[in-house]
Amino acid sequence: MRSHVPSYEIETPKDLGAALDRMANEPGAWKPFAGGTDLMVLLEAGKLVERRFLNIWKLPELKGIEITSSHVILGALTTYTEVRSSEVLAREFPLLCRAASETGSVATQNRGTLGGNIANASPAADSPPALLAYDAEVEIVSSRGNRWKAYSGFHVGYKAMDLVADELINRIRLLRSKRDWKQHYRKVGTRRAQAVSKVCFAGAARMQQGRIADVRIALGSIAPIVLRATETEKMLTGEKPSPAVRQAAQEMLAREITPIDDIRSTARYRQRVAQNLLVEFLEMLAT
Amino acid sequence: METRVIGKSVPRKEGREKVTGRARYVDDLAFPGMLHGVTVRGPTARGRIRGIFFEGDIPWKEITIVTAKDIPGNNCILLLIEDQPCLADGLVNHKEEPVVLLAHQDAYLLGEARRAVRIEIEPLPAIFTIEDSLARKEIIWGEDNTFKSVRVEKGDVESAWSVADCIVEGEYETGAQEQLYIEPQGMIARASPADGVTVWGSLQCPHYVHKALVSLFGLPKDRIRVVQTETGGGFGGKEEYPSMIAAHAALLAWKSGRPVKIIYDRAEDMAATTKRHPSKTRHRTAVSSDGKLLAMDIDFTIDGGAYETLSPVVLSRGTIHAAGPYDCPNVRIRGRAVATNAPPHGAFRGFGAPQSVFALERHLDRVAAAVGLAPDELRRRNFIREGQTLAVNQVVHERVEMGRLMDQAFEASDYHVKRKQYSTENPGAAIKKGIGFACFLHGAGFTGSGEEYLASEVAAEATVEGRVRIRAGSTEMGQGTNTIFSQIAAETLGLDYEKIDIAQPDTANVPNSGPTVASRTSMIVGKLVESAAREIQTKLFQSGLLEQGYDAATFAKACGEYIGRFGALESLIKYQHPAELHWNDERYEGDAYGAYAWAVYVAEVSVDTRTAEMRVENFTAVQEVGRVIHPVLAAGQIEGGIAQGIGLALYENIVWHEGRMVNAQMTNYIMPTSMDVPRIRVFFDEIAQGRGPAGAKGIGELPLDGTAPAIANAVAHATGADIRRIPLTPELLMETLEKAHA
Amino acid sequence: MPEGSGKIQVRCTVNNKAVTFEAYPMARLLDALREELRLTGTKEGCGEGECGACTVEMDGALVNSCLVPAAQVEATKILTIEGVASGERLHAVQQAFITNGGAQCGICTPGMILAAVNLLRRFPEPTEVQIREGLSGNLCRCTGYTKIFESVVAACGESERDA
């Protein structure tokens, strides 16, 4: 049942400064509104709690992909379509491109943004596992200034994050250090397109003489937040991905994740599939 | 038979309107002064209404409020019987039961008002499963929770058990399935004591709605008018529920004196309207060591939900189709439709048959394995042939070539090679492949004496310009009624397809050609269209104004002269039941259907063992449906039905909580997208022996019957899983495989 | 009831015509098109961006009009199904849908056609995978998609003229 449309306000600030001032002057009163692919769904379901929104969709300060010798820096309003069509990302950050191409449909990808995906804080979001695997950093901005923060640790609980009322996600930064890592992304959704994920897996590893020298493992839909399996990573570091190690890693992962039953899947299925996808990744590393 | 228009893929009659966005669906219409209407539903699965409270900061005086006491006639949605109220009065029997109706011109305000109505209910114990209903844990309907029981007996099953070489038993389940037409349900009504009641809406059966409104308002038949607007898909979902919405819109219009529009949003449509009946089937089969079926004992139960609605007829079709296209000397089928406190389940393409066919075709793969035969070989040894009798003791008087259909399907799909290849390659593979099939039949038209009772009528009329208009209550909802009726009339009259018009279904203007359901439109109503067109021609011949060998110009001239001389040139044809068809409703035997479509479908799947995700890789559908009237439309029917069957088999899982669908969003109820449906290859083996025009039979429901079991059998081949239930979600498959290995 | 800031005036271009309409800032573009501008060819199937029946182009990009608030429509260019044909001359995609059975009930058709027109602009000779992916946001319950793919393929060679 749709929410009461007349009681919502949307204001379009003239630039980022104006938006941040608005948010600073009335902390918590205004929520940023980007491509609307999450907020409008809540509106339709009668569950859009906030009433006042700042339309940031066209703010140029939040747009664009910047490439430096060390980083790729993505404006918070970078859409999935833009992610998919970036050559640098396709070459060096394939997990993110896969995530973008498996999110929603063409229309959703035209409107859905990376910043929005992070701020919506859904544990089932498709791009956060990829961002975690790449050690992404997030730039938070407010009228008080800006700060860079590791994306790992940004989400602190179900729909909770390290972001206060007057702050906005400005940019996402990826260090161009993993192009030689072996990478694996897999979204297990309810169907092959337009699907919410039941389990989402992103893994990247630097291999040295058959051993795992460094590794990132991130999963979605298996805990209240998108999660990096740090214990499993630790355990794997320095190991050869042998059958015995795979078995042990699988058991470690099982303890790190806390999937639940919901209308899309079961805890049992998610637990099993997460482990199987880890094994699939480790088998790939072994080849 | 040589044909000119039949068998040609002419452009869809209303195609241009549809591709330009000009076609007008119910929500596209707006009347001056129109109000929006909404439904407030009881929040409890079963209970006594203690009070209705209008709360919140809402200008209630501005809002039209209707409850049961505002109903001028019978408070029921009349269908087969009078058990389902239009608005709950005293008791509620499911969580989506309508209790209060509201109308206002401001849709936004109305949404708030709906949230501010509180219905206080004293709960009563409710039941939600077939088992609890059969066990009579609570009696929630009638004396024993049973809407209908039927029993089919052929030979004596008891005589077979002792002589059988092998007896195979099994239990199979199918879940509910949402029709998920992309146009949600909706109605607009105008109603007043002075003008009577008129409704416009998205619907399959205008005369069903008409009958329900006559009873609800207690008005004479001619004071009620039902008009079908362009309908964005039905699949059975707009067979009976539109009567409910029409009733609600009409009551609000009656009370407010203004036109009222009710359009369901997707969540309400999915949760409140009908779905496919969930089912449980038990098979016990006696078979000889050489694979001959000796006895089939089948117990078929469907969950009808809280009210009877169409459950008896769904049960009937499901029961009759439960023994399939096989010759077996001894068959017993016990069918039951039982009550639970869920919203009533209803018509959905296939109408009970997909449920019982799934059980049978899964079971026969298991029977084959038990006697050590290939699954195709077992079927071949038992396929029914012309002159043999079906389970209901109907002698088959048409040519049946099941073996030939199987040969064609296997050749087109390379079945034997792949079956062997996959069996060899699968061990150790992470992605396993499988190929499976199903053999089945589907009866065209109403079951048994249904068509005789319906006594459908079709009219035709000619204009002075030489155009001919067909008037019938049969509806276009995408399947092609307008187009094939035009082809049939054009063929009969020797005119161009473009010269034929189809009247908008409007009970004030068209005769009752029966509901648009049951794969009856081509064969039964199409035949009436043919006769109605022929009678126009005959009248012109008899009047001496027209002679054989005419062209469009002379036809037009003759029409003009006829109308000038005698007045209207029109015809009205009434259905004549074929004298050779007999059905005994008490003994449940005889000619259940005037003709059957026959088919063999082959599915190829891949299964990712890491995730248990299944994908249909290829699909081959071979069927004999009599003469194909329009090859493109017919193939479109089959392809669309198969896509729905893929959904039924693998994706479309309704998550229930205490009788309410809790995943009532398109995000969480998963129908196939363009990425989930494979290339579908459709073949028609035409034997023009149907009772329809040029030998046509029925086609609409057929593809739903065999798709799911073909897929399930393919997954079983790929994985070895003992599949007993659909939807076969990855979660269920994984659990099944883990249990088998444990 | 809580009150917002009232309706706003939105100026934009719809099917190459400058238009102005009034709407609440959170009102859906879908409702503005259907109710304020009486362009009812754009359909509502789900209201949550899942079915694609309400697909339109906004500044050349496909969007679900049920997920676009009026406040974001200001100064944009919208193309709806009513603007796809040139007068009475159908777009090649529209003609192909008629010829190849791509439309059955017709309710997904306007959105599907916009998705197909957009796809052929991006990929004039799409592969089957590109067609499947390009249309995957548009659900069709009637056709099983086969006849829709055939329609898009048939329109390929033709649509360059119309683009």
Side-chain angles (χ1 to χ4, degrees), chain B residues 585-599:
Chain B
D585 210 36
E586 266 158 43
R587 296 172 51 88
Y588 234 69
E589 63 174 27
D591 298 306
Y593 301 96
Y596 292 88
W598 311 87

Side-chain angles (χ1 to χ4, degrees), chain B residues 623-704:
Chain B
Q623 49 254 303
E624 196 283 294
V625 297
R627 184 65 197 270
V628 173
I629 296 175
H630 188 300
V632 167
L633 285 183
Q637 282 297 292
I638 301 298
E639 291 157 2
I642 288 168
Q644 292 177 359
I646 290 172
L648 173 67
L650 300 179
Y651 300 108
E652 299 185 28
N653 186 34
I654 289 180
V655 184
W656 295 101
H657 179 70
E658 294 180 348
R660 170 176 279 160
M661 177 182 187
V662 290
N663 57 334
Q665 311 98 27
M666 277 188 163
T667 314
N668 292 318
Y669 179 78
I670 305 303
M671 70 161 267
T673 70
S674 55
M675 301 280 280
D676 302 294
V677 178
R679 282 263 157 166
I680 297 167
R681 291 188 301 160
V682 177
F683 302 92
F684 294 107
D685 181 21
E686 290 181 67
I687 306 175
Q689 56 183 347
R691 293 172 185 273
K697 298 195 275 196
I699 183 170
E701 298 173 290
L702 176 76
L704 251 305

Side-chain angles (χ1 to χ4, degrees), chain B residues 5-238:
Chain B
V5 192
I6 285 180
K8 304 280 188 301
S9 291
V10 294
R12 170 179 286 276
K13 205 77 187 174
E14 74 290 352
R16 196 179 170 92
E17 281 65 38
K18 285 178 172 171
V19 301
T20 53
R22 280 184 214 150
R24 290 278 175 267
Y25 299 78
V26 61
D27 197 22
D28 303 337
L29 306 178
F31 293 178
M34 191 172 76
L35 308 181
H36 298 278
V38 294
T39 312
V40 190
R41 299 171 190 278
T44 309
R46 184 163 173 253
R48 259 184 213 95
I49 299 175
R50 286 292 174 222
I52 302 172
F53 304 95
F54 299 89
E55 302 177 336
D57 176 21
I58 303 289
W60 287 111
K61 284 204 175 107
E62 289 178 19
I63 293 173
T64 304
I65 300 173
V66 165
T67 61
K69 67 177 169 28
D70 295 299
I71 294 171
N74 294 331
N75 181 10
C76 77
I77 300 299
L78 181 58
L79 193 58
L80 301 174
I81 59 165
E82 301 193 356
D83 68 331
Q84 180 171 221
C86 172
L87 289 169
D89 190 7
L91 288 173
V92 292
N93 284 306
H94 63 85
K95 283 187 172 180
E96 303 295 339
E97 183 131 29
V99 182
V100 181
L101 306 170
L102 307 174
H104 193 270
Q105 69 268 21
D106 179 350
Y108 294 134
L109 171 66
L110 198 57
E112 291 301 282
R114 171 154 64 169
R115 274 184 271 265
V117 178
R118 186 168 59 84
I119 301 166
E120 206 175 278
I121 292 177
E122 176 195 334
L124 293 168
I127 52 173
F128 303 111
T129 63
I130 285 176
E131 290 78 7
D132 285 350
S133 185
L134 286 173
R136 300 173 194 178
K137 204 170 153 195
E138 287 294 324
I139 299 295
I140 62 156
W141 195 91
E143 285 168 16
D144 58 0
N145 292 338
T146 307
F147 296 123
K148 171 116 176 163
S149 299
V150 296
R151 195 181 172 96
V152 167
E153 292 268 10
K154 177 188 177 191
D156 175 18
V157 287
E158 297 303 336
S159 68
W161 309 125
S162 56
V163 298
D165 295 310
C166 185
I167 295 171
V168 183
E169 296 186 56
E171 211 174 300
Y172 308 87
E173 276 180 67
T174 64
Q177 185 186 21
E178 163 61 27
Q179 293 89 358
L180 212 66
Y181 32 72
I182 306 294
E183 180 208 24
Q185 304 232 17
M187 286 282 168
I188 300 175
R190 267 190 165 139
S192 69
D195 302 323
V197 176
T198 304
V199 297
W200 293 260
S202 181
L203 55 91
Q204 289 179 228
C205 311
H207 292 86
Y208 279 6
V209 178
H210 188 267
K211 176 177 161 182
L213 292 179
V214 165
S215 158
L216 184 81
F217 282 89
L219 287 171
K221 286 180 180 172
D222 62 355
R223 306 291 304 286
I224 307 276
R225 184 180 158 207
V226 180
V227 186
Q228 185 221 5
T229 51
E230 198 72 67
T231 295
F235 318 115
K238 293 173 184 171

Side-chain angles (χ1 to χ4, degrees), chain B residues 464-623:
Chain B
V464 291
E465 296 85 19
R467 299 189 68 82
V468 172
R469 197 158 78 120
I470 301 299
R471 293 192 288 122
S474 302
T475 52
E476 170 69 54
M477 47 187 154
Q479 85 286 35
T481 302
N482 291 344
T483 305
I484 63 159
F485 280 5
S486 299
Q487 285 178 281
I488 292 163
E491 185 74 50
T492 310
L493 290 163
L495 294 174
D496 285 348
Y497 167 72
E498 290 74 22
K499 292 280 181 196
I500 311 297
D501 298 309
I502 305 295
Q504 180 178 32
D506 173 346
T507 55
N509 189 39
V510 299
N512 185 356
S513 58
T516 306
V517 303
S519 307
R520 65 185 292 278
T521 304
S522 294
M523 186 175 92
I524 305 280
V525 190
K527 197 69 186 172
L528 299 177
V529 169
E530 183 184 73
S531 303
R534 176 145 299 126
E535 194 171 308
I536 296 278
Q537 192 188 45
T538 305
K539 282 185 175 176
L540 289 172
F541 285 158
Q542 283 173 350
S543 67
L545 294 166
L546 193 69
E547 286 173 9
Q548 293 283 4
Y550 60 84
D551 62 12
T554 49
F555 179 81
K557 189 160 166 278
C559 289
E561 283 178 23
Y562 185 101
I563 293 165
R565 232 185 270 177
F566 308 109
L569 172 52
E570 53 189 11
S571 60
L572 178 67
I573 298 296
K574 193 168 188 154
Y575 175 79
Q576 300 290 331
H577 199 62
E580 69 276 18
L581 296 182
H582 303 283
W583 174 254
N584 184 328
D585 210 36
E586 266 158 43
R587 296 172 51 88
Y588 234 69
E589 63 174 27
D591 298 306
Y593 301 96
Y596 292 88
W598 311 87
V600 177
Y601 283 7
V602 180
E604 253 183 89
V605 302
S606 62
V607 182
D608 186 329
T609 51
R610 298 187 193 285
T611 61
E613 288 173 293
M614 292 154 277
R615 181 175 168 80
V616 182
E617 301 285 356
N618 267 304
F619 205 98
T620 307
V622 176
Q623 49 254 303

Side-chain angles (χ1 to χ4, degrees), chain C residues 10 33 35 59 68 71 83 94 103-104 107 114 118 148:
Chain C
V10 177
L33 291 170
E35 285 158 29
D59 294 331
V68 178
Q94 292 173 309
Q104 285 192 26
I107 199 83
L114 277 157
N118 185 274
I148 291 175

